[in-house]
Amino acid sequence: MAYTETTTTGYGTRVGRSFKSIGSGFVMFCLATALLWWNEGRAVKTDKMLNDAEAACVDMENPNKLDPAMDGELVCASALATTEDVLTDDKFGFSETAISISRRVEYFQWVEHAQSESEDKLGGKEVTTTTYTYSMEWTYAPVASSQFKDPAYQSRNFVLAQVDEGEQWAENVKFGAYKLPESLYHSMSSTEPVVLNLNEQMLAQLDKSCRDVDLRVNGKAVTTNNANPNDNANTVPDSLKTVVADSIPQDNKVDLDYVHQQGNVLYIGRTPAAPQVGDVRVTFEKVVPAKVTIIAKVKGDTFTKFKAKNGKSFQTLVMGVKDSSEIFESEHAANSMWLWLLRIVGIMLVISGLKGIFGFLETILKVVPFIANIFGWGVGVVCTVVGIVWSLIVIALAWLFYRPLLGIGLLALAGFLIWVFAFKGKDKLKELAAKGRQKPQVEPAQ
């Protein structure tokens, strides 16, 4: 059942807010302009750094042997990244020989969704109708239902157990005869599920704690094992199918009243096949040894970042065996992608800033909504055109500063757009006005 809330904002309040938005619009406009300028410089500097690195990079043929001749060189090398460190989960007590272990926690909660519709009224008032709907979903943090708008759903959320997400990394990771720095192996993605073998006493204590919470919150609790009789079959409940890895033996299970272990998932709740509000799902994973390729500067028996002539630093690790040309091609592509992504974001922010600055003009006319909407559309078009032209000018000036030839081309494009919209638009208006003044010719009667 949806819950609806209606609010009315007076004309004076709306005008006051629109004048306040001038300041925030101006700030957004300035920050967007700075973003566009910085982004162009970042892209050029990154491109030059990658070119310097590519020119300096040499292949390390055998990382399994320390080579003093390679000291100080930027190298591309492939080897098995491995460790002998034993990592222990401090909450659940299991240990793994791995590069990293982690636990991801999800909570089954009521979630509030809001959808608003606004309508302008004659005289300048605005009536906003907000519809709130509620659904049960898996979330990455408990949801404070006390803030829900619908009283029927307030304070309905709780959790059977509060479990913090955790992540541990090994301190010693080998790369052949060398040692990998944290800044490199933290980007490894060779993730596999952990085959859990948790302490039975710890699970029993957790089960008792959950029973106490259920009794306190709901006034009742499960007192006998409520596992589904069909659980003896090797089936995975729907609520676990997306998180239990196929490689995990399905007979690796523990079923208590509130605690159910299956594969690499610890499910805290009455029945994994039918999630209820308050249930918790903890997924355990590890990063295992794997073949990786790095580009980094050799420093003794380890690696450090390469520093280009322009002061920017570079090192990278990619999964699998790759050659340096593949890696640098990918890095150049990523740099170009970020350049265009930030350009688009910057242009949109410039336009939004201009609309914030001049939006008060439309608000003043809201006493007659029809006129205000037409005027607002015009303001939007003008702000969009001016924002695009301004952004092109800023980008062109940045390119003039960093790369003059391309900057001149962009300035020419911006000038052409100004000419089209300013002069050609004026000529078109004159032409339409002239046609309107022409008297229609009346044909003689037959």
Side-chain angles (χ1 to χ4, degrees):
M1 188 83 179
Y3 179 81
T4 302
E5 183 179 66
T6 301
T7 57
T8 302
T9 306
Y11 177 71
T13 302
R14 298 181 70 187
V15 172
R17 289 177 180 174
S18 68
F19 277 110
K20 289 180 181 179
S21 69
I22 294 175
S24 58
F26 182 75
V27 170
M28 182 182 294
F29 176 80
C30 292
L31 290 176
T33 300
L35 172 64
L36 288 170
W37 181 277
W38 170 83
N39 181 45
E40 300 303 318
R42 178 207 60 79
V44 172
K45 290 176 182 178
T46 301
D47 188 63
K48 289 181 178 179
M49 176 271 292
L50 289 173
N51 290 336
D52 287 349
E54 192 167 9
C57 187
V58 296
D59 290 329
M60 177 181 277
E61 299 294 339
N62 185 15
N64 295 314
K65 181 180 179 182
L66 287 175
D67 187 355
M70 286 288 182
D71 197 30
E73 295 283 351
L74 178 66
V75 301
C76 176
S78 299
L80 180 68
T82 186
T83 185
E84 296 180 358
D85 288 5
V86 177
L87 305 178
T88 301
D89 186 294
D90 55 358
K91 182 174 180 62
F92 293 96
F94 68 89
S95 297
E96 287 282 333
T97 301
I99 293 173
S100 171
I101 58 173
S102 63
R103 58 175 180 262
R104 185 178 72 254
V105 186
E106 299 166 279
Y107 301 88
F108 202 65
Q109 301 278 274
W110 282 107
V111 178
E112 181 179 72
H113 303 277
Q115 185 174 1
S116 297
E117 293 183 0
S118 297
E119 183 181 1
D120 294 322
K121 298 293 185 179
L122 196 63
K125 290 183 179 180
E126 180 186 51
V127 177
T128 302
T129 302
T130 305
T131 302
Y132 298 93
T133 56
Y134 300 85
S135 61
M136 292 185 288
E137 303 173 12
W138 287 105
T139 65
Y140 289 106
V143 178
S145 57
S146 60
Q147 305 299 317
F148 287 172
K149 294 291 183 178
D150 189 345
Y153 288 90
Q154 289 177 359
S155 302
R156 290 184 64 176
N157 278 342
F158 76 99
V159 293
L160 288 170
Q162 183 82 43
V163 182
D164 295 328
E165 292 201 343
E167 185 178 63
Q168 292 187 49
W169 288 88
E171 295 182 359
N172 303 289
V173 178
K174 290 292 186 180
F175 180 80
Y178 293 84
K179 180 180 178 180
L180 280 181
E182 288 185 9
S183 54
L184 283 175
Y185 66 76
H186 275 205
S187 60
M188 288 183 64
S189 58
S190 51
T191 304
E192 290 185 1
V194 173
V195 180
L196 292 176
N197 185 19
L198 301 179
N199 182 279
E200 292 184 6
Q201 184 179 358
M202 184 273 295
L203 293 179
Q205 290 175 349
L206 178 59
D207 189 72
K208 180 181 182 302
S209 173
C210 293
R211 183 184 294 108
D212 293 341
V213 171
D214 198 17
L215 181 62
R216 184 175 68 251
V217 173
N218 296 317
K220 58 181 180 179
V222 175
T223 55
T224 57
N225 189 288
N226 69 339
N228 191 316
N230 294 325
D231 280 352
N232 292 328
N234 288 335
T235 58
V236 179
D238 290 341
S239 62
L240 301 182
K241 283 182 179 177
T242 58
V243 288
V244 174
D246 294 337
S247 58
I248 293 289
Q250 294 188 12
D251 57 356
N252 179 32
K253 299 172 65 176
V254 172
D255 272 312
L256 302 177
D257 290 334
Y258 289 88
V259 178
H260 313 271
Q261 173 199 313
Q262 183 155 0
N264 64 321
V265 177
L266 187 67
Y267 192 98
I268 301 172
R270 294 181 182 180
T271 311
Q276 299 294 319
V277 170
D279 289 3
V280 184
R281 189 167 65 184
V282 189
T283 306
F284 298 88
E285 295 177 325
K286 61 183 177 181
V287 175
V288 297
K291 274 269 191 178
V292 298
T293 301
I294 67 166
I295 294 180
K297 184 179 177 181
V298 180
K299 184 180 180 182
D301 65 346
T302 186
F303 301 93
T304 188
K305 294 180 179 179
F306 167 79
K307 196 168 185 178
K309 296 175 184 177
N310 61 9
K312 286 187 72 69
S313 298
F314 176 73
Q315 65 174 5
T316 189
L317 177 148
V318 298
M319 302 304 299
V321 178
K322 303 284 181 67
D323 59 45
S324 60
S325 61
E326 288 181 273
I327 295 175
F328 281 112
E329 183 180 351
S330 176
E331 291 290 335
H332 279 292
N335 184 41
S336 179
M337 180 196 69
W338 278 108
L339 171 64
W340 282 102
L341 180 62
L342 292 175
R343 275 177 179 171
I344 293 170
V345 171
I347 292 171
M348 292 177 65
L349 289 176
V350 166
I351 295 171
S352 296
L354 289 172
K355 288 181 178 179
I357 294 172
F358 297 102
F360 73 95
L361 297 172
E362 178 187 359
T363 306
I364 290 174
L365 296 175
K366 286 293 185 181
V367 287
V368 183
F370 175 72
I371 295 176
N373 291 338
I374 295 175
F375 189 82
W377 178 83
V379 169
V381 171
V382 172
C383 288
T384 300
V385 172
V386 172
I388 292 173
V389 171
W390 174 260
S391 300
L392 288 175
I393 291 173
V394 172
I395 293 171
L397 290 174
W399 277 99
L400 274 176
F401 185 79
Y402 295 107
R403 287 184 177 177
L405 291 178
L406 288 173
I408 292 172
L410 284 174
L411 278 177
L413 176 60
F416 173 74
L417 288 175
I418 293 173
W419 178 75
V420 168
F421 286 107
F423 296 101
K424 281 294 185 181
K426 186 186 297 183
D427 293 342
K428 188 66 175 176
L429 288 174
K430 288 181 179 178
E431 180 183 341
L432 291 173
K435 287 182 178 180
R437 288 194 298 267
Q438 289 178 359
K439 294 182 179 180
Q441 295 181 356
V442 179
E443 296 182 3
Q446 297 293 332

